[in-house]
PDB file of all heavy atoms in Angstrom:
ATOM      1  N   VAL A 265    -257.490  55.420 -26.858  1.00 97.00           N
ATOM      2  CA  VAL A 265    -256.561  56.031 -27.812  1.00 97.00           C
ATOM      3  C   VAL A 265    -255.815  54.918 -28.531  1.00 97.00           C
ATOM      4  O   VAL A 265    -255.598  53.846 -27.972  1.00 97.00           O
ATOM      5  CB  VAL A 265    -255.544  56.988 -27.133  1.00 97.00           C
ATOM      6  CG1 VAL A 265    -256.229  58.214 -26.574  1.00 97.00           C
ATOM      7  CG2 VAL A 265    -254.732  56.281 -26.074  1.00 97.00           C
ATOM      8  N   ASP A 266    -255.420  55.181 -29.750  1.00 97.00           N
ATOM      9  CA  ASP A 266    -254.605  54.237 -30.515  1.00 97.00           C
ATOM     10  C   ASP A 266    -253.199  54.205 -29.912  1.00 97.00           C
ATOM     11  O   ASP A 266    -252.725  55.210 -29.369  1.00 97.00           O
ATOM     12  CB  ASP A 266    -254.546  54.667 -31.982  1.00 97.00           C
ATOM     13  CG  ASP A 266    -253.726  53.716 -32.812  1.00 97.00           C
ATOM     14  OD1 ASP A 266    -254.255  52.646 -33.185  1.00 97.00           O
ATOM     15  OD2 ASP A 266    -252.532  54.022 -33.069  1.00 97.00           O
ATOM     16  N   GLU A 267    -252.539  53.078 -30.033  1.00 97.00           N
ATOM     17  CA  GLU A 267    -251.202  52.923 -29.449  1.00 97.00           C
ATOM     18  C   GLU A 267    -250.173  53.892 -30.018  1.00 97.00           C
ATOM     19  O   GLU A 267    -249.147  54.138 -29.395  1.00 97.00           O
ATOM     20  CB  GLU A 267    -250.724  51.478 -29.626  1.00 97.00           C
ATOM     21  CG  GLU A 267    -250.502  51.077 -31.060  1.00 97.00           C
ATOM     22  CD  GLU A 267    -250.105  49.619 -31.212  1.00 97.00           C
ATOM     23  OE1 GLU A 267    -249.689  48.997 -30.211  1.00 97.00           O
ATOM     24  OE2 GLU A 267    -250.208  49.114 -32.327  1.00 97.00           O
ATOM     25  N   HIS A 268    -250.457  54.479 -31.174  1.00 98.00           N
ATOM     26  CA  HIS A 268    -249.515  55.415 -31.791  1.00 98.00           C
ATOM     27  C   HIS A 268    -249.839  56.877 -31.464  1.00 98.00           C
ATOM     28  O   HIS A 268    -249.187  57.788 -31.979  1.00 98.00           O
ATOM     29  CB  HIS A 268    -249.480  55.203 -33.306  1.00 98.00           C
ATOM     30  CG  HIS A 268    -249.051  53.820 -33.688  1.00 98.00           C
ATOM     31  ND1 HIS A 268    -247.797  53.325 -33.435  1.00 98.00           N
ATOM     32  CD2 HIS A 268    -249.742  52.806 -34.271  1.00 98.00           C
ATOM     33  CE1 HIS A 268    -247.715  52.069 -33.851  1.00 98.00           C
ATOM     34  NE2 HIS A 268    -248.887  51.725 -34.361  1.00 98.00           N
ATOM     35  N   THR A 269    -250.801  57.104 -30.586  1.00 97.00           N
ATOM     36  CA  THR A 269    -251.177  58.465 -30.196  1.00 97.00           C
ATOM     37  C   THR A 269    -250.049  59.112 -29.400  1.00 97.00           C
ATOM     38  O   THR A 269    -249.552  58.521 -28.434  1.00 97.00           O
ATOM     39  CB  THR A 269    -252.465  58.438 -29.338  1.00 97.00           C
ATOM     40  OG1 THR A 269    -253.494  57.779 -30.064  1.00 97.00           O
ATOM     41  CG2 THR A 269    -252.911  59.839 -28.964  1.00 97.00           C
ATOM     42  N   PRO A 270    -249.632  60.321 -29.799  1.00 97.00           N
ATOM     43  CA  PRO A 270    -248.566  61.010 -29.054  1.00 97.00           C
ATOM     44  C   PRO A 270    -248.997  61.324 -27.616  1.00 97.00           C
ATOM     45  O   PRO A 270    -250.168  61.583 -27.339  1.00 97.00           O
ATOM     46  CB  PRO A 270    -248.357  62.302 -29.835  1.00 97.00           C
ATOM     47  CG  PRO A 270    -248.936  62.050 -31.186  1.00 97.00           C
ATOM     48  CD  PRO A 270    -250.048  61.067 -30.984  1.00 97.00           C
ATOM     49  N   VAL A 271    -248.027  61.332 -26.704  1.00 96.00           N
ATOM     50  CA  VAL A 271    -248.280  61.598 -25.292  1.00 96.00           C
ATOM     51  C   VAL A 271    -248.944  62.957 -25.095  1.00 96.00           C
ATOM     52  O   VAL A 271    -249.829  63.108 -24.246  1.00 96.00           O
ATOM     53  CB  VAL A 271    -246.972  61.482 -24.474  1.00 96.00           C
ATOM     54  CG1 VAL A 271    -247.118  62.074 -23.094  1.00 96.00           C
ATOM     55  CG2 VAL A 271    -246.549  60.022 -24.376  1.00 96.00           C
ATOM     56  N   LYS A 272    -248.566  63.948 -25.883  1.00 95.00           N
ATOM     57  CA  LYS A 272    -249.185  65.277 -25.772  1.00 95.00           C
ATOM     58  C   LYS A 272    -250.686  65.179 -26.015  1.00 95.00           C
ATOM     59  O   LYS A 272    -251.486  65.774 -25.288  1.00 95.00           O
ATOM     60  CB  LYS A 272    -248.542  66.251 -26.759  1.00 95.00           C
ATOM     61  CG  LYS A 272    -249.123  67.649 -26.668  1.00 95.00           C
ATOM     62  CD  LYS A 272    -248.538  68.563 -27.721  1.00 95.00           C
ATOM     63  CE  LYS A 272    -249.056  69.969 -27.708  1.00 95.00           C
ATOM     64  NZ  LYS A 272    -250.395  70.193 -27.311  1.00 95.00           N
ATOM     65  N   GLU A 273    -251.087  64.423 -27.007  1.00 97.00           N
ATOM     66  CA  GLU A 273    -252.515  64.257 -27.313  1.00 97.00           C
ATOM     67  C   GLU A 273    -253.227  63.479 -26.197  1.00 97.00           C
ATOM     68  O   GLU A 273    -254.375  63.767 -25.854  1.00 97.00           O
ATOM     69  CB  GLU A 273    -252.677  63.532 -28.652  1.00 97.00           C
ATOM     70  CG  GLU A 273    -254.084  63.558 -29.190  1.00 97.00           C
ATOM     71  CD  GLU A 273    -254.184  62.916 -30.565  1.00 97.00           C
ATOM     72  OE1 GLU A 273    -253.266  63.106 -31.394  1.00 97.00           O
ATOM     73  OE2 GLU A 273    -255.190  62.213 -30.803  1.00 97.00           O
ATOM     74  N   ILE A 274    -252.533  62.499 -25.622  1.00 97.00           N
ATOM     75  CA  ILE A 274    -253.098  61.756 -24.490  1.00 97.00           C
ATOM     76  C   ILE A 274    -253.350  62.716 -23.328  1.00 97.00           C
ATOM     77  O   ILE A 274    -254.420  62.699 -22.718  1.00 97.00           O
ATOM     78  CB  ILE A 274    -252.147  60.620 -24.044  1.00 97.00           C
ATOM     79  CG1 ILE A 274    -252.051  59.560 -25.139  1.00 97.00           C
ATOM     80  CG2 ILE A 274    -252.614  59.996 -22.737  1.00 97.00           C
ATOM     81  CD1 ILE A 274    -250.948  58.540 -24.906  1.00 97.00           C
ATOM     82  N   ALA A 275    -252.364  63.568 -23.036  1.00 96.00           N
ATOM     83  CA  ALA A 275    -252.511  64.541 -21.954  1.00 96.00           C
ATOM     84  C   ALA A 275    -253.688  65.473 -22.228  1.00 96.00           C
ATOM     85  O   ALA A 275    -254.490  65.749 -21.322  1.00 96.00           O
ATOM     86  CB  ALA A 275    -251.216  65.333 -21.778  1.00 96.00           C
ATOM     87  N   ASP A 276    -253.805  65.954 -23.459  1.00 96.00           N
ATOM     88  CA  ASP A 276    -254.928  66.830 -23.812  1.00 96.00           C
ATOM     89  C   ASP A 276    -256.269  66.129 -23.597  1.00 96.00           C
ATOM     90  O   ASP A 276    -257.205  66.718 -23.059  1.00 96.00           O
ATOM     91  CB  ASP A 276    -254.825  67.285 -25.274  1.00 96.00           C
ATOM     92  CG  ASP A 276    -253.732  68.313 -25.502  1.00 96.00           C
ATOM     93  OD1 ASP A 276    -253.287  68.950 -24.521  1.00 96.00           O
ATOM     94  OD2 ASP A 276    -253.325  68.479 -26.672  1.00 96.00           O
ATOM     95  N   THR A 277    -256.352  64.874 -23.987  1.00 95.00           N
ATOM     96  CA  THR A 277    -257.590  64.100 -23.821  1.00 95.00           C
ATOM     97  C   THR A 277    -257.926  63.925 -22.353  1.00 95.00           C
ATOM     98  O   THR A 277    -259.079  64.085 -21.930  1.00 95.00           O
ATOM     99  CB  THR A 277    -257.460  62.717 -24.497  1.00 95.00           C
ATOM    100  OG1 THR A 277    -257.183  62.907 -25.889  1.00 95.00           O
ATOM    101  CG2 THR A 277    -258.732  61.904 -24.340  1.00 95.00           C
TER     102      THR A 277
END
Side-chain angles (χ1 to χ4, degrees):
V265 293
D266 181 80
E267 66 183 343
H268 300 295
T269 304
V271 166
K272 181 184 180 328
E273 192 176 321
I274 293 169
D276 287 341
T277 301

